[in-house]
Amino acid sequence: MIEENTSLGQLGLARDHIYETILSTYNADGTPTAAPMGIVPKRSGIFLVRIFKGTLTLNNLRRTRCGVVNFTTDPDVFYRTTFKRLSDPRSFRVRKFEKAITVKAPRLRVADANIEFRVKDIKDLDDLRCGVVCCAERIDSRRTLPSGYCRGKFAAIECIIHATRIRQYLCEDKVRDAKKLIALIYYYRDLAERVSPDSRYTSVIRRICSKIDTWRRSNARLR
């Protein structure tokens, strides 16, 4: 279903709420890339993305001035775009991406909805992050059958989001903050094991916990 009206309200997005999405762009060599990213609707077709400085996504947005916001609740897609350097990026690109319609950017085939956008402005928020002001050019949503709410699915997505922040905190030497998020991940692991044992959700969380074990071994202050 194509929404001619590019108001974010078409997707049920409320102003100033943070929505976890996957933002896709083209690299300088023309290859697609994607990363989990929170967006904040501001008015009509305008939204804000807060992005850490020096990231590949921010560099791509500065260069191309456009991208695609992809909505999905599939934890495996979040996981693979978060830890793409540790998976098979070429295989993921072939299966998962297609060209956007109105902007020069890739979008995820498997997304429940996409927002193709152009960058209006990029400004410093603080020493670590920039605020990217975006204008929606096209909203493409797909009607899907409703599904039951499973806490295991959302526990997996929370773990992935926390894992990205743990890596950032470790780079900034904020070990105490990293430990708090590690504790939350272990909580969600136990929850998922209880409500959705031996599922793809618990599989994703176990892989994240394995990475945390690796980070612990390489950082004595995390032990």
Side-chain angles (χ1 to χ4, degrees):
M1 176 182 178
I2 310 302
E3 299 290 355
E4 298 298 335
N5 182 353
T6 54
S7 168
L8 302 181
Q10 297 290 324
L11 294 178
L13 305 182
R15 181 175 177 175
D16 292 330
H17 287 43
I18 299 175
Y19 295 92
E20 300 298 338
T21 70
I22 296 172
L23 199 154
S24 52
T25 55
Y26 279 128
N27 295 322
D29 64 0
T31 57
T33 188
M37 205 75 60
I39 72 165
V40 184
K42 289 299 181 182
R43 64 183 185 276
S44 188
I46 305 298
F47 60 93
L48 176 70
V49 187
R50 300 184 179 97
I51 307 181
F52 284 105
K53 296 177 180 178
T55 60
L56 180 62
T57 296
L58 181 58
N59 292 340
N60 288 345
L61 290 176
R62 286 188 189 278
R63 188 186 69 260
T64 66
R65 309 298 292 187
C66 64
V68 178
V69 168
N70 305 275
F71 292 84
T72 180
T73 56
D74 187 337
D76 189 59
V77 177
F78 271 97
Y79 180 86
R80 297 199 65 181
T81 53
T82 299
F83 299 103
K84 51 187 170 291
R85 292 183 180 85
L86 303 179
S87 60
D88 180 357
R90 184 177 300 277
S91 173
F92 187 80
R93 286 200 300 266
V94 169
R95 297 202 317 270
K96 302 297 185 182
F97 289 108
E98 63 186 8
K99 291 181 180 179
I101 306 300
T102 60
V103 298
K104 191 175 181 180
R107 66 182 192 178
L108 288 173
R109 297 177 186 272
V110 296
D112 299 321
N114 313 93
I115 301 175
E116 299 179 10
F117 68 87
R118 297 191 187 277
V119 173
K120 288 191 64 176
D121 191 22
I122 299 177
K123 52 191 176 182
D124 286 347
L125 294 179
D126 50 42
D127 292 340
L128 298 176
R129 296 183 301 173
C130 284
V132 182
V133 181
C134 306
C135 179
E137 292 287 321
R138 173 189 175 100
I139 295 176
D140 187 357
S141 62
R142 299 161 179 79
R143 294 186 181 277
T144 57
L145 293 175
S147 60
Y149 179 83
C150 176
R151 295 171 73 193
K153 174 190 287 188
F154 295 97
I157 293 175
E158 285 295 302
C159 286
I160 294 165
I161 294 167
H162 290 331
T164 63
R165 291 171 181 160
I166 289 170
R167 294 197 301 180
Q168 185 65 36
Y169 285 149
L170 292 178
C171 291
E172 299 168 11
D173 201 31
K174 296 180 179 179
V175 177
R176 180 177 297 180
D177 292 326
K179 284 184 174 180
K180 289 179 181 178
L181 292 184
I182 289 172
L184 279 174
I185 287 176
Y186 288 157
Y187 167 79
Y188 283 122
R189 176 195 62 189
D190 294 342
L191 170 65
E193 294 282 3
R194 187 172 72 252
V195 301
S196 53
D198 299 320
S199 66
R200 60 196 183 103
Y201 311 136
T202 55
S203 175
V204 165
I205 296 175
R206 287 169 188 161
R207 281 181 274 168
I208 292 172
C209 289
S210 177
K211 294 184 188 304
I212 290 174
D213 289 341
T214 300
W215 298 338
R216 282 180 179 277
R217 287 193 294 270
S218 60
N219 189 323
R221 295 175 62 190
L222 280 178
R223 297 171 192 166

